[in-house]
Amino acid sequence: MSGSNFIRGIVVIGGLIGLLDAASVAEQAAGFVAVLLGAGNAAGGYAVTGRMLAMFQTSAPEPKRREAHHSATRKPEKV
Amino acid sequence: MLIMTSQWLIGLVYFFAAFLLIFGLWRMSSPVTAAGGIHVAGWGMAAAVIVSFLYVFSVSEAARPHLPVNVSLALVALLLGGGAAWWSGRKAAMTAMPQMVAIYNGMGGGAAAAIAAMELFGGRVFDLSALAGTLFGALIGAISLSGSLIAWARLDGRINKPLHMKGLQLINALLMLVTLCGRRLADGGHARRTRFVERRAVVDRCVLRLRAVVWCADDVAHRRCRHAGGHLPSTMPSPAWRSAWKGLCCRFRP
C-alpha cells in the first residue's frame, strides 16, 4: 500500500511542469504548494516503504519456496 | 532545435522512468525482491524529476521572465518538502507508520488539488470539458487531502470520535457553488487562450501518460498481491482470466 503511495508522488512532475510555466504570483504560489506536497509524498513514501521492506526482508520464508519452484521447473528439461 | 531536443529527451526519460516505476512495483509485489523494488522505483522517480527541469527550454513567452524565480521556487519546494518528509519518515516510530502513510497520501492529494488550482489561476482552462476535468481533479485532490488528514488525526489519536458537524452538507454545497461561480470571475483574456492552446497540449500529454502509468502500475500491484494470497479486492472479471493471469505471473516471477 505504501509502495503505491510512493508511486502516487509522481504528481510532483505535474506540479514542476506547471510551476516552471507559471506567469503570475497566484500560479507560482499554487505551483510551489503542489511541488512541496508532491515532493513530500514521494520522499516520505519512499522512506516509509524502504523501512517497511527492510523489516520484511529479515523474515523471508519465500527463498525456499522459490528454490523448490525452480527445481520443479528444471526437472522436465533434464528428462 | 534546443526545444525539440529537450522535449525528445523528456519523452525518452519519462518512458524509461515509467518502465522503472512499473518494474519496481512489480518487484515489490514479491517478498524476495521487494527491498530492491523500491530502489528501482526511486531511481525512476528521481530521473523523472531531474529531467523535468529541461522543460525550462520550452516554457511559454509569458512565463519566460519569471523563469529564474520559478526554477529557484521549484528547487526550494523540492528540497523543503522532500527533506522534511524524508526526515519524518525516517524518524517516526514503526508503530506510527499507518498515520505517516495517511499523511503522505494526503500530501499527494493536496498536490493534485494545487495543480488544478494553478491551471485555473493561469487561465489555461476555458472550455467546459477542460473546466469539468480540472474541477473534478481539484475536488478529488481536496477530498483526498482532507480525508487523509482526518485519517491521520484519528490514527494518531488526536480525534477520538467521528468528525461530524451540523450543516456540514450545506457548507459543502456552498463551497461547490463558490467553486463554480469563482471561475467566471477569474476568466482570462484572449492572449491567455492562445497561450493555453500552445502549452496545454504538452502538459496534458505528459500528465496523462504518467497517470496512465500509475493506473497500470496500481493494477499490476493489486493483481500480483492477489496472486500472492493478499486480501486486496480482485478486479479480474472471470475465473478464466484469473487463471490465465496466474499462469503469466508464475512464468515471469522475478
Side-chain angles (χ1 to χ4, degrees), chain A residues 15-76:
Chain A
L16 262 178
I17 292 176
L19 176 58
L20 291 177
D21 211 13
S24 67
V25 179
E27 277 179 88
Q28 283 174 336
F32 184 78
V33 172
V35 176
L36 195 76
L37 293 177
N41 184 350
Y46 183 83
V48 165
T49 310
R51 278 182 68 184
M52 279 185 181
L53 291 178
M55 211 169 69
F56 201 34
Q57 208 178 18
T58 50
S59 59
E62 201 79 345
K64 274 183 192 167
R65 247 186 67 198
R66 246 188 108 205
E67 274 169 29
H69 178 80
H70 270 259
S71 62
T73 49
R74 237 178 268 143
K75 254 179 197 170

Side-chain angles (χ1 to χ4, degrees), chain B residues 199-221:
Chain B
R199 296 269 61 92
R200 173 84 192 188
V202 179
V203 175
D204 256 8
R205 263 209 308 279
C206 296
V207 172
L208 271 180
R209 216 177 287 157
L210 287 166
R211 202 162 285 175
V213 164
V214 172
W215 277 336
C216 290
D218 252 3
D219 205 36
V220 168

Side-chain angles (χ1 to χ4, degrees), chain B:
Chain B
M1 183 63 203
L2 196 61
I3 295 171
M4 283 280 283
T5 314
S6 70
Q7 279 183 358
W8 182 79
L9 200 63
I10 287 175
L12 188 75
V13 175
Y14 274 1
F15 181 76
F16 186 60
F19 169 75
L20 284 181
L21 285 173
I22 292 181
F23 185 61
L25 256 186
W26 183 54
R27 282 176 72 89
M28 263 190 266
S29 62
S30 164
V32 184
T33 54
I38 184 70
H39 292 125
V40 172
W43 280 113
M45 185 78 78
V49 168
I50 291 165
V51 84
S52 293
F53 279 95
L54 281 180
Y55 192 71
V56 293
F57 294 117
S58 38
V59 292
S60 58
E61 281 299 326
R64 202 148 289 163
H66 302 279
L67 207 52
V69 182
N70 287 349
V71 170
S72 39
L73 273 177
L75 284 173
V76 168
L78 274 177
L79 287 177
L80 217 63
W86 177 266
W87 182 75
S88 63
R90 284 273 148 195
K91 204 173 160 283
M94 222 55 199
T95 49
M97 284 297 139
Q99 51 263 47
M100 295 316 285
V101 173
I103 198 142
Y104 297 140
N105 193 47
M107 287 168 103
I115 291 169
M118 190 159 50
E119 295 272 295
L120 292 173
F121 289 150
R124 299 179 216 196
V125 183
F126 62 89
D127 68 342
L128 198 65
S129 64
L131 178 65
T134 311
L135 279 180
F136 193 63
L139 199 68
I140 297 283
I143 289 171
S144 174
L145 173 66
S146 55
S148 293
L149 280 177
I150 291 170
W152 166 77
R154 292 206 65 187
L155 283 165
D156 212 34
R158 280 159 210 260
I159 303 177
N160 291 320
K161 55 180 191 293
L163 199 71
H164 226 74
M165 215 169 15
K166 244 186 178 177
L168 194 65
Q169 283 176 333
L170 190 72
I171 295 173
N172 283 346
L174 273 175
L175 281 175
M176 191 69 196
L177 207 67
V178 170
T179 317
L180 288 172
C181 297
R183 172 68 208 117
R184 287 291 110 208
L185 301 174
D187 204 346
H190 180 71
R192 281 187 160 174
R193 291 182 186 192
T194 45
R195 182 184 149 217
F196 164 81
V197 174
E198 277 171 14
R199 296 269 61 92
R200 173 84 192 188
V202 179
V203 175
D204 256 8
R205 263 209 308 279
C206 296
V207 172
L208 271 180
R209 216 177 287 157
L210 287 166
R211 202 162 285 175
V213 164
V214 172
W215 277 336
C216 290
D218 252 3
D219 205 36
V220 168
H222 274 234
R223 288 176 187 189
R224 297 263 309 166
C225 280
R226 171 91 189 156
H227 173 68
H231 50 77
L232 285 165
S234 171
T235 48
M236 302 299 281
S238 74
W241 266 104
R242 208 169 295 165
S243 63
W245 179 254
K246 268 191 177 178
L248 215 66
C249 286
C250 286
R251 196 148 307 154
F252 297 117
R253 182 168 275 242

